[in-house]
Amino acid sequence: MEKLVVKGPTPLKGEVTISGAKNAAVAILPATLLIDGVCTIENLPNISDIKISCEILRQLGAKITWNNEHSITIDTTNITTTKAPLDLTSKFRASYYIIGAMLGRKGEIEVGMPGGCKLGARPIDQHIKGFEMLGATVNLEKGTIYAKAKKLKAAPIYMDIVSVGATINVMLASVLAKGTTTIDNAAKEPHIVDVANFLNTMGADIRGAGTDVIKINGVEKLHGGCTYSVVPDQIEAGTFMLAAVATRGDLTLKNCITKHLESITAKIFEVGGNVEDNGDSIRVWCNKRPNNANIKTLPYPGFPTDLQPQMGVVLALANGTSVINESIWESRFQYTEELNKMGAKITAQGKTAFFEGVKKLYGAPVYSSDLRAGAALVIAGTAAEGETEIYNLEHIDRGYENIEEKFRKIGAKIERVKE
Ligand code: EPZ
């Protein structure tokens, strides 16, 4: 077992290069199943979710060549089975994209129920509704999903809930379906636009991604022969922005799209931090104790749930009382118990948490309950006085590339230690 040992407090200072977006990459990789050919994907984050995605594709028959640790060439000419490896698909959430992509490619797929961070109930009813409206039958038996369609046919689909996964999955399934599919009440996250851009580069005809109505004009075939670079990770960028504020540091983040960071920038100004938008890089600094603020997480362009725990560290240290209302996931306050072990004063009740700001946090052994909770604990450990030990690193490694190396480069005293 491994743990991270962080000694603080350290104001983080310097430059960080942001990696490609996990949540775009985990959809773009299965999307390659829709192509009968070869393509190259660049700017992939070097994280465990990507390695598992590649292994699932390989077991379905794709040939994958690593060009370097951030780029693969993938040949999906011969997809040899419609049974996805159950042990691997149950390891992470985004394995549900295999369903949309394989319905489009083969009209059939057998896949394990998706796993991923335990954030409360994570139903996939909107995905299934979308597939059924496109003409598929979907059955769930003993933890395995069986989806089948003789021929997918375009349909108007209204999402009852704004869902990132369901929007992308229906987009994947409808790219090769005959006619025009409309997704109403679609999610608008940057990774949705990125997946649509990737598919359009390969010959799809998707319009309106990034708005709440997406139209997909079905095409006969997607072509290979293209190279695509994954969008920079909005959530990794936001994590470092909030790390700069929590540690009263000064960071410049390179390779980011500042437009995607507006809700975070607005909150940083509200708590008294500074943000300078330099086009494809952003500088964030803070030289005083943050002010209190209230947050409600919302689908994009609202404040992202995936930055709520990192913002929680800032508010735990703020001057005054703050309230966070988590409107997406029912169990995303597990990290608050860990911060309380470090001296924070947080009371979480259901989807609301009250933060009575403290002047200092103190190092303690803490456990990461999910990916973003883990990132929040790394920030907290860097801001805290003394030594923090962070356990359950498998969550962090799923979504952050070389987290300790990136933090070390900007001054953190952080080591990965084998127990
Ligand atoms: C994606 O999850 C992200 N994961 C999550 O990031 C992120 O927290 C979430 O979107 C919200 O932004 C990936 O992209 C792989 P949703 P997803 O469908 O697609 C409900 C991280 O830390 N819902 O947008 O699974 C659902 O319960 C991870 O990187 C239904 O009711 O989220 C939730 O309350 C964690 N029925 C809300 O919608 C459905 O069929 C939004 O979920 C689907 C969702």
Side-chain angles (χ1 to χ4, degrees):
M1 204 174 55
E2 292 181 327
K3 63 180 176 184
L4 287 174
V5 179
V6 194
K7 287 182 187 140
T10 312
L12 295 173
K13 290 192 174 160
E15 277 185 7
V16 185
T17 301
I18 300 305
S19 300
K22 167 184 90 89
N23 289 343
V26 293
I28 287 173
L29 290 177
T32 62
L33 288 166
L34 291 162
I35 304 163
D36 189 353
V38 183
C39 65
T40 296
I41 315 289
E42 296 183 335
N43 202 33
L44 282 170
N46 187 11
I47 53 175
S48 64
D49 271 9
I50 294 303
K51 288 172 193 148
I52 300 172
S53 298
C54 286
E55 182 52 26
I56 294 172
L57 292 178
R58 202 189 59 76
Q59 292 197 26
L60 288 170
K63 289 201 181 90
I64 294 176
T65 313
W66 285 89
N67 306 313
N68 58 54
E69 62 176 11
H70 297 121
S71 163
I72 59 169
T73 295
I74 179 158
D75 181 350
T76 47
T77 311
N78 290 313
I79 296 304
T80 48
T81 172
T82 56
K83 282 188 190 173
L86 300 189
D87 54 331
L88 293 181
T89 47
S90 60
K91 278 202 172 145
F92 72 132
R93 191 72 194 160
S95 55
Y96 50 38
Y97 294 135
I98 301 284
I99 310 173
M102 283 294 278
L103 275 176
R105 173 71 187 261
K106 290 273 186 191
E108 191 172 351
I109 183 66
E110 194 179 311
V111 71
M113 271 300 274
C117 289
K118 305 269 178 288
L119 307 172
R122 299 188 73 174
I124 56 164
D125 56 300
Q126 297 303 302
H127 305 233
I128 293 174
K129 172 178 129 171
F131 298 144
E132 287 177 345
M133 291 197 69
L134 293 169
T137 53
V138 184
N139 293 306
L140 182 64
E141 275 168 41
K142 295 184 187 155
T144 302
I145 301 167
Y146 301 85
K148 228 176 180 167
K150 268 206 179 106
K151 185 127 188 70
L152 290 171
K153 255 179 73 184
I157 296 166
Y158 176 81
M159 295 286 170
D160 300 323
I161 284 180
V162 178
S163 160
V164 170
T167 301
I168 292 179
N169 231 341
V170 169
M171 217 157 71
L172 294 175
S174 56
V175 158
L176 299 174
K178 201 172 163 58
T180 299
T181 297
T182 310
I183 308 176
D184 256 299
N185 200 24
K188 298 182 278 208
E189 270 67 5
H191 28 293
I192 292 182
V193 180
D194 206 41
V195 178
N197 286 344
F198 167 72
L199 290 166
N200 284 345
T201 307
M202 307 294 151
D205 184 358
I206 303 172
R207 298 168 192 211
T211 76
D212 52 14
V213 182
I214 303 180
K215 282 193 190 325
I216 303 115
N217 297 313
V219 294
E220 286 277 309
K221 207 173 167 351
L222 297 189
H223 56 77
C226 300
T227 296
Y228 190 81
S229 180
V230 175
V231 72
D233 197 316
Q234 166 215 12
I235 302 300
E236 192 198 19
T239 299
F240 281 101
M241 289 170 80
L242 295 169
V245 178
T247 64
R248 300 186 207 174
D250 187 341
L251 293 178
T252 296
L253 313 181
K254 293 166 78 181
N255 186 35
C256 57
I257 298 180
T258 55
K259 169 83 188 141
H260 296 164
L261 303 168
E262 283 174 346
S263 63
I264 304 120
T265 299
K267 280 296 161 188
I268 290 178
F269 280 130
E270 203 176 315
V271 300
N274 306 288
V275 181
E276 192 178 275
D277 179 344
N278 297 316
D280 64 353
S281 79
I282 199 163
R283 179 180 165 217
V284 182
W285 73 102
C286 184
N287 37 31
K288 65 182 194 64
R289 188 175 174 198
N291 307 325
N292 60 334
N294 296 331
I295 305 280
K296 181 171 180 155
T297 62
L298 287 169
Y300 188 82
F303 191 91
T305 171
D306 293 349
L307 288 173
Q308 186 262 99
Q310 301 89 317
M311 187 72 202
V313 180
V314 173
L315 300 183
L317 286 162
N319 192 2
T321 303
S322 309
V323 181
I324 297 186
N325 184 250
E326 169 58 56
S327 77
I328 313 287
W329 302 117
E330 62 197 27
S331 308
R332 210 161 205 181
F333 283 129
Q334 297 166 70
Y335 74 92
T336 59
E337 281 176 33
E338 305 307 300
L339 290 188
N340 285 347
K341 291 180 192 165
M342 300 175 74
K345 288 192 179 157
I346 310 166
T347 314
Q349 289 167 354
K351 284 184 159 188
T352 307
F354 301 89
F355 292 70
E356 195 186 316
V358 295
K359 280 194 175 149
K360 277 186 182 175
L361 293 175
Y362 297 92
V366 286
Y367 294 82
S368 146
S369 52
D370 62 73
L371 169 58
R372 308 304 170 184
L377 295 176
V378 174
I379 298 174
T382 312
E385 209 165 280
E387 188 171 292
T388 298
E389 290 171 10
I390 305 167
Y391 294 90
N392 294 353
L393 302 189
E394 65 279 8
H395 295 299
I396 304 179
D397 294 338
R398 283 192 27 234
Y400 286 92
E401 176 171 335
N402 289 334
I403 194 162
E404 69 270 25
E405 209 177 297
K406 285 196 180 186
F407 268 78
R408 217 170 12 242
K409 275 194 183 150
I410 49 179
K413 295 177 192 76
I414 181 168
E415 297 291 338
R416 188 178 286 251
V417 176
K418 272 201 180 20
E419 292 228 276

